[in-house]
Amino acid sequence: MSQAAPRHWAAINEVSFVAGMRLLFWIFRVLGRWPFRVMLYPVLCWYLLAAPRARRVSGAYLRRVSAFAPVPRLGVLRHFAAFAESILDKMLLWGGLFDTRSVTLHGVDSVNAMLARGQGGLLVCSHFGNLELSRVLSLDRPDVKITVLVHTRHAQAFNRMLARLNPASALNLMQVTDMDAAMAMQLSERVSRGELVVIAGDRVPVSDQPRVAMADFLGSPAPFPVGPYILAGVLQCPVYLIFPLQRDGGSELHFELFSEGLRLPRKAREAALQDCVQRYSARLQHYCLQAPLQWFNFYDFWHLPKLDTSDAPG
């Protein structure tokens, strides 16, 4: 029997996992975090039995990591446990139950200096750690406005759950499937007002012919989107990488300057985009090797799949 073709990340159904997390969130609210963890593992075991594809891709990713750094025992189970803990933290953040003052910020001084000058910027994020940390911190500081570019169709159930916890959870999200001139102009206006725009650098665009470049990642070529760097070239603003990290029981948020202003020369455009993708890939690999269980891309990242909408939640 031939192996099933890899699916696009946007076709992954997360409804059943979110339903389990609603129950676990209620347990946390009533009993606390340790009872939450006790109940978590039966839910995870059921989910892993019901989701063999996710189980396989997690195991394949961790095997790639193991060629560079140690991987914890029972890695797949603990990988999904880290994902569940991350979802719980997102719910706590938007439910007002997470102490954002406990988050340690690294490299934020240059970002604050940029904002103090009234200058906006582009933040290139990943599906590493808990990006909601930056979104809630922006709510704590009304002078900082952040727009997060997302493709919400694949995560409607989770976004509805966040909206019930806090209606503000959807205020700074902008749904996008492909970048066009009108959207680029709208984002340029926001950056010119001193706002921040966040875009993921590790998700292939939802399109029949996505624009990607191949970069070495954990020992093999992998497709990365070039859209963030094309957008950076249009916006002509500082570009930062942002990596949230859980370490030693605490939350960290790392900002790294990627470019003061990215220019893509016409004659060497493809080479410039390739360089950007490889630099981004190297930094993502750096953090994945520090905390392998905190990269939450549960699909075959190293293959460029076709979009299969039949399994996507409506």
Side-chain angles (χ1 to χ4, degrees):
M1 181 180 296
S2 61
Q3 187 175 1
R7 287 185 298 172
H8 197 286
W9 60 265
I12 297 173
N13 190 324
E14 95 307 357
V15 173
S16 59
F17 195 87
V18 170
M21 286 305 303
R22 286 201 196 101
L23 170 62
L24 291 172
F25 182 63
W26 179 84
I27 291 172
F28 172 87
R29 292 292 301 268
V30 174
L31 301 174
R33 192 143 199 156
W34 277 109
F36 161 84
R37 287 173 173 159
V38 169
M39 295 298 297
L40 171 63
Y41 282 90
V43 173
L44 287 177
C45 289
W46 168 81
Y47 180 77
L48 289 177
L49 287 173
R53 188 189 297 262
R55 186 174 68 243
R56 286 196 302 270
V57 296
S58 172
Y61 156 68
L62 293 175
R63 284 192 296 274
R64 291 181 184 273
V65 171
S66 67
F68 298 87
V71 172
R73 297 182 61 186
L74 301 175
V76 172
L77 182 62
R78 294 176 67 177
H79 193 192
F80 279 88
F83 182 46
E85 293 267 4
S86 174
I87 290 180
L88 174 63
D89 284 340
K90 294 174 193 283
M91 297 163 74
L92 297 178
L93 281 160
W94 291 115
L97 303 174
F98 191 101
D99 184 8
T100 57
R101 295 171 299 179
S102 65
V103 179
T104 303
L105 301 177
H106 298 269
V108 75
D109 290 345
S110 60
V111 177
N112 284 334
M114 175 188 72
L115 295 171
R117 297 192 300 268
Q119 185 177 17
L122 181 68
L123 304 181
V124 182
C125 70
S126 66
H127 289 76
F128 183 93
N130 184 2
L131 183 63
E132 263 70 10
L133 288 174
S134 65
R135 288 161 57 181
V136 172
L137 287 173
S138 73
L139 295 177
D140 290 341
R141 297 179 52 182
D143 58 314
V144 179
K145 295 184 179 180
I146 299 179
T147 297
V148 182
L149 304 183
V150 295
H151 176 73
T152 59
R153 181 180 60 183
H154 75 289
Q156 284 184 342
F158 183 61
N159 287 323
R160 285 195 298 267
M161 180 173 61
L162 289 182
R164 282 196 291 270
L165 291 172
N166 183 349
S169 66
L171 290 181
N172 58 345
L173 300 180
M174 178 182 289
Q175 182 170 340
V176 56
T177 54
D178 200 7
M179 188 65 61
D180 56 22
M183 181 164 291
M185 183 177 298
Q186 184 178 358
L187 295 175
S188 180
E189 291 173 354
R190 296 189 182 199
V191 168
S192 68
R193 295 196 298 263
E195 300 181 18
L196 297 173
V197 174
V198 182
I199 186 171
D202 63 346
R203 281 286 168 92
V204 174
V206 181
S207 118
D208 292 334
Q209 295 180 322
R211 296 201 61 184
V212 300
M214 303 299 290
D216 183 70
F217 181 57
L218 294 174
S220 298
F224 286 85
V226 298
Y229 316 106
I230 294 175
L231 179 60
V234 172
L235 298 180
Q236 281 301 298
C237 64
V239 182
Y240 286 84
L241 307 185
I242 178 171
F243 292 98
L245 179 67
Q246 292 293 124
R247 182 157 48 192
D248 299 327
S251 299
E252 303 176 3
L253 197 55
H254 293 256
F255 295 88
E256 299 183 0
L257 179 64
F258 187 80
S259 172
E260 289 285 1
L262 191 61
R263 300 192 180 278
L264 301 173
R266 182 175 300 177
K267 292 183 178 180
R269 181 182 175 89
E270 295 305 317
L273 290 172
Q274 177 70 46
D275 178 69
C276 289
V277 164
Q278 189 59 63
R279 288 170 55 203
Y280 171 84
S281 170
R283 296 313 297 157
L284 178 60
Q285 175 170 312
H286 169 79
Y287 284 94
C288 286
L289 294 182
Q290 285 195 38
L293 304 182
Q294 294 182 41
W295 190 51
F296 306 129
N297 257 335
F298 297 110
Y299 71 101
D300 190 353
F301 188 79
W302 283 261
H303 292 86
L304 191 59
K306 293 182 179 180
L307 179 62
D308 174 12
T309 58
S310 61
D311 291 337

